[in-house]
mmCIF file of all heavy atoms in Angstrom:
data_model
loop_
_atom_site.group_PDB
_atom_site.id
_atom_site.type_symbol
_atom_site.label_atom_id
_atom_site.label_comp_id
_atom_site.label_asym_id
_atom_site.label_seq_id
_atom_site.Cartn_x
_atom_site.Cartn_y
_atom_site.Cartn_z
ATOM 1 N N SER E 1 -19.641 32.963 -24.363
ATOM 2 C CA SER E 1 -20.886 32.486 -23.820
ATOM 3 C C SER E 1 -20.983 32.880 -22.379
ATOM 4 O O SER E 1 -19.954 32.873 -21.709
ATOM 5 C CB SER E 1 -20.909 30.929 -23.894
ATOM 6 O OG SER E 1 -20.918 30.543 -25.264
ATOM 7 N N ILE E 2 -22.174 33.224 -21.879
ATOM 8 C CA ILE E 2 -22.423 33.754 -20.556
ATOM 9 C C ILE E 2 -23.596 33.048 -19.903
ATOM 10 O O ILE E 2 -24.596 32.842 -20.534
ATOM 11 C CB ILE E 2 -22.618 35.278 -20.615
ATOM 12 C CG1 ILE E 2 -21.480 35.981 -21.282
ATOM 13 C CG2 ILE E 2 -22.869 35.824 -19.190
ATOM 14 C CD1 ILE E 2 -21.730 37.506 -21.495
ATOM 15 N N GLY E 3 -23.345 32.623 -18.720
ATOM 16 C CA GLY E 3 -24.422 32.088 -17.845
ATOM 17 C C GLY E 3 -24.743 33.111 -16.792
ATOM 18 O O GLY E 3 -23.923 33.633 -16.097
ATOM 19 N N VAL E 4 -26.130 33.343 -16.630
ATOM 20 C CA VAL E 4 -26.620 34.349 -15.749
ATOM 21 C C VAL E 4 -27.619 33.612 -14.778
ATOM 22 O O VAL E 4 -28.347 32.792 -15.231
ATOM 23 C CB VAL E 4 -27.375 35.490 -16.470
ATOM 24 C CG1 VAL E 4 -27.929 36.444 -15.482
ATOM 25 C CG2 VAL E 4 -26.483 36.180 -17.478
ATOM 26 N N ALA E 5 -27.549 33.974 -13.516
ATOM 27 C CA ALA E 5 -28.480 33.345 -12.539
ATOM 28 C C ALA E 5 -29.017 34.378 -11.639
ATOM 29 O O ALA E 5 -28.397 35.434 -11.386
ATOM 30 C CB ALA E 5 -27.689 32.355 -11.712
ATOM 31 N N THR E 6 -30.250 34.173 -11.221
ATOM 32 C CA THR E 6 -30.861 34.997 -10.255
ATOM 33 C C THR E 6 -30.314 34.694 -8.841
ATOM 34 O O THR E 6 -29.762 33.645 -8.523
ATOM 35 C CB THR E 6 -32.391 34.792 -10.222
ATOM 36 O OG1 THR E 6 -32.703 33.404 -9.871
ATOM 37 C CG2 THR E 6 -33.093 35.114 -11.544
ATOM 38 N N ILE E 7 -30.484 35.704 -7.956
ATOM 39 C CA ILE E 7 -30.043 35.550 -6.520
ATOM 40 C C ILE E 7 -31.265 35.804 -5.721
ATOM 41 O O ILE E 7 -31.948 36.825 -5.833
ATOM 42 C CB ILE E 7 -28.919 36.468 -6.132
ATOM 43 C CG1 ILE E 7 -27.726 36.310 -7.008
ATOM 44 C CG2 ILE E 7 -28.550 36.405 -4.684
ATOM 45 C CD1 ILE E 7 -26.603 37.274 -6.896
ATOM 46 N N SER E 8 -31.606 34.854 -4.766
ATOM 47 C CA SER E 8 -32.649 35.132 -3.839
ATOM 48 C C SER E 8 -32.135 35.110 -2.456
ATOM 49 O O SER E 8 -30.949 34.625 -2.129
ATOM 50 C CB SER E 8 -33.763 34.089 -4.010
ATOM 51 O OG SER E 8 -33.277 32.767 -3.831
ATOM 52 N N SER E 9 -32.948 35.492 -1.509
ATOM 53 C CA SER E 9 -32.448 35.741 -0.084
ATOM 54 C C SER E 9 -31.999 34.397 0.548
ATOM 55 O O SER E 9 -31.192 34.435 1.452
ATOM 56 C CB SER E 9 -33.533 36.339 0.744
ATOM 57 O OG SER E 9 -34.647 35.533 0.737
ATOM 58 N N ASP E 10 -32.543 33.222 0.130
ATOM 59 C CA ASP E 10 -32.078 31.975 0.765
ATOM 60 C C ASP E 10 -30.990 31.282 0.010
ATOM 61 O O ASP E 10 -30.651 30.141 0.306
ATOM 62 C CB ASP E 10 -33.261 31.065 0.829
ATOM 63 C CG ASP E 10 -33.957 30.724 -0.456
ATOM 64 O OD1 ASP E 10 -33.769 31.512 -1.445
ATOM 65 O OD2 ASP E 10 -34.627 29.703 -0.523
ATOM 66 N N ASP E 11 -30.363 31.864 -1.006
ATOM 67 C CA ASP E 11 -29.355 31.337 -1.778
ATOM 68 C C ASP E 11 -27.928 31.458 -1.008
ATOM 69 O O ASP E 11 -27.728 32.398 -0.248
ATOM 70 C CB ASP E 11 -29.075 32.097 -3.096
ATOM 71 C CG ASP E 11 -29.978 31.566 -4.197
ATOM 72 O OD1 ASP E 11 -30.229 30.381 -4.237
ATOM 73 O OD2 ASP E 11 -30.416 32.406 -5.019
ATOM 74 N N SER E 12 -27.081 30.463 -1.307
ATOM 75 C CA SER E 12 -25.724 30.510 -0.847
ATOM 76 C C SER E 12 -24.880 30.982 -2.049
ATOM 77 O O SER E 12 -25.435 30.863 -3.255
ATOM 78 C CB SER E 12 -25.223 29.179 -0.398
ATOM 79 O OG SER E 12 -25.134 28.248 -1.418
ATOM 80 N N VAL E 13 -23.762 31.346 -1.853
ATOM 81 C CA VAL E 13 -22.817 31.678 -2.988
ATOM 82 C C VAL E 13 -22.669 30.504 -3.953
ATOM 83 O O VAL E 13 -22.757 30.668 -5.109
ATOM 84 C CB VAL E 13 -21.472 32.203 -2.470
ATOM 85 C CG1 VAL E 13 -20.470 32.386 -3.596
ATOM 86 C CG2 VAL E 13 -21.541 33.527 -1.666
ATOM 87 N N ILE E 14 -22.436 29.353 -3.315
ATOM 88 C CA ILE E 14 -22.262 28.157 -4.088
ATOM 89 C C ILE E 14 -23.561 27.878 -5.010
ATOM 90 O O ILE E 14 -23.333 27.492 -6.117
ATOM 91 C CB ILE E 14 -21.955 26.958 -3.189
ATOM 92 C CG1 ILE E 14 -20.619 27.130 -2.408
ATOM 93 C CG2 ILE E 14 -21.957 25.656 -3.952
ATOM 94 C CD1 ILE E 14 -19.413 27.295 -3.305
ATOM 95 N N SER E 15 -24.712 27.942 -4.455
ATOM 96 C CA SER E 15 -25.973 27.703 -5.242
ATOM 97 C C SER E 15 -26.104 28.597 -6.382
ATOM 98 O O SER E 15 -26.454 28.209 -7.521
ATOM 99 C CB SER E 15 -27.123 27.661 -4.350
ATOM 100 O OG SER E 15 -27.495 28.955 -3.848
ATOM 101 N N VAL E 16 -25.803 29.957 -6.258
ATOM 102 C CA VAL E 16 -25.790 30.859 -7.256
ATOM 103 C C VAL E 16 -24.806 30.514 -8.404
ATOM 104 O O VAL E 16 -25.058 30.474 -9.567
ATOM 105 C CB VAL E 16 -25.676 32.255 -6.839
ATOM 106 C CG1 VAL E 16 -25.606 33.277 -7.968
ATOM 107 C CG2 VAL E 16 -26.761 32.682 -5.890
ATOM 108 N N LEU E 17 -23.597 30.273 -7.945
ATOM 109 C CA LEU E 17 -22.501 29.896 -8.926
ATOM 110 C C LEU E 17 -22.821 28.637 -9.627
ATOM 111 O O LEU E 17 -22.434 28.499 -10.866
ATOM 112 C CB LEU E 17 -21.156 29.749 -8.198
ATOM 113 C CG LEU E 17 -20.592 31.142 -7.728
ATOM 114 C CD1 LEU E 17 -19.275 30.887 -6.886
ATOM 115 C CD2 LEU E 17 -20.426 32.110 -8.820
ATOM 116 N N GLU E 18 -23.434 27.666 -8.941
ATOM 117 C CA GLU E 18 -23.834 26.366 -9.636
ATOM 118 C C GLU E 18 -24.806 26.638 -10.766
ATOM 119 O O GLU E 18 -24.748 26.055 -11.788
ATOM 120 C CB GLU E 18 -24.309 25.402 -8.646
ATOM 121 C CG GLU E 18 -23.201 24.800 -7.794
ATOM 122 C CD GLU E 18 -23.676 23.812 -6.693
ATOM 123 O OE1 GLU E 18 -24.894 23.903 -6.363
ATOM 124 O OE2 GLU E 18 -22.862 23.063 -6.138
ATOM 125 N N ARG E 19 -25.863 27.450 -10.416
ATOM 126 C CA ARG E 19 -26.854 27.819 -11.488
ATOM 127 C C ARG E 19 -26.273 28.516 -12.671
ATOM 128 O O ARG E 19 -26.534 28.263 -13.822
ATOM 129 C CB ARG E 19 -28.004 28.554 -10.821
ATOM 130 C CG ARG E 19 -28.922 27.653 -10.013
ATOM 131 C CD ARG E 19 -30.224 28.342 -9.719
ATOM 132 N NE ARG E 19 -30.214 29.711 -9.267
ATOM 133 C CZ ARG E 19 -30.032 29.978 -7.905
ATOM 134 N NH1 ARG E 19 -29.893 29.123 -7.010
ATOM 135 N NH2 ARG E 19 -30.041 31.242 -7.553
ATOM 136 N N ALA E 20 -25.434 29.524 -12.341
ATOM 137 C CA ALA E 20 -24.747 30.298 -13.461
ATOM 138 C C ALA E 20 -23.861 29.359 -14.246
ATOM 139 O O ALA E 20 -23.838 29.481 -15.465
ATOM 140 C CB ALA E 20 -23.968 31.471 -12.857
ATOM 141 N N ASP E 21 -23.185 28.436 -13.584
ATOM 142 C CA ASP E 21 -22.272 27.554 -14.274
ATOM 143 C C ASP E 21 -23.099 26.562 -15.183
ATOM 144 O O ASP E 21 -22.753 26.282 -16.372
ATOM 145 C CB ASP E 21 -21.513 26.675 -13.343
ATOM 146 C CG ASP E 21 -20.351 25.830 -13.951
ATOM 147 O OD1 ASP E 21 -19.553 26.467 -14.777
ATOM 148 O OD2 ASP E 21 -20.367 24.661 -13.723
ATOM 149 N N SER E 22 -24.250 26.129 -14.707
ATOM 150 C CA SER E 22 -25.142 25.265 -15.469
ATOM 151 C C SER E 22 -25.678 26.023 -16.757
ATOM 152 O O SER E 22 -25.824 25.469 -17.836
ATOM 153 C CB SER E 22 -26.347 24.811 -14.652
ATOM 154 O OG SER E 22 -25.875 23.981 -13.646
ATOM 155 N N ALA E 23 -26.035 27.277 -16.515
ATOM 156 C CA ALA E 23 -26.478 28.015 -17.701
ATOM 157 C C ALA E 23 -25.388 28.253 -18.606
ATOM 158 O O ALA E 23 -25.542 28.186 -19.918
ATOM 159 C CB ALA E 23 -27.071 29.471 -17.227
ATOM 160 N N LEU E 24 -24.108 28.473 -18.179
ATOM 161 C CA LEU E 24 -22.974 28.697 -19.088
ATOM 162 C C LEU E 24 -22.779 27.384 -19.911
ATOM 163 O O LEU E 24 -22.560 27.407 -21.083
ATOM 164 C CB LEU E 24 -21.724 28.949 -18.232
ATOM 165 C CG LEU E 24 -20.403 28.996 -19.010
ATOM 166 C CD1 LEU E 24 -20.489 30.047 -20.168
ATOM 167 C CD2 LEU E 24 -19.256 29.221 -18.102
#
C-alpha cells in the first residue's frame, strides 16, 4: 500500500510526510 502527497511551496517536510502517512 502506498500513500502519495502533493508538495507545495509553503509545505514543511513534516506536513508532507503527515499527509502521505494519512493516505497510507
Side-chain angles (χ1 to χ4, degrees):
S1 295
I2 302 172
V4 178
T6 59
I7 300 173
S8 62
S9 59
D10 60 336
D11 273 326
S12 68
V13 171
I14 297 298
S15 66
V16 174
L17 291 176
E18 285 174 344
R19 286 197 310 275
D21 190 54
S22 293
L24 172 61

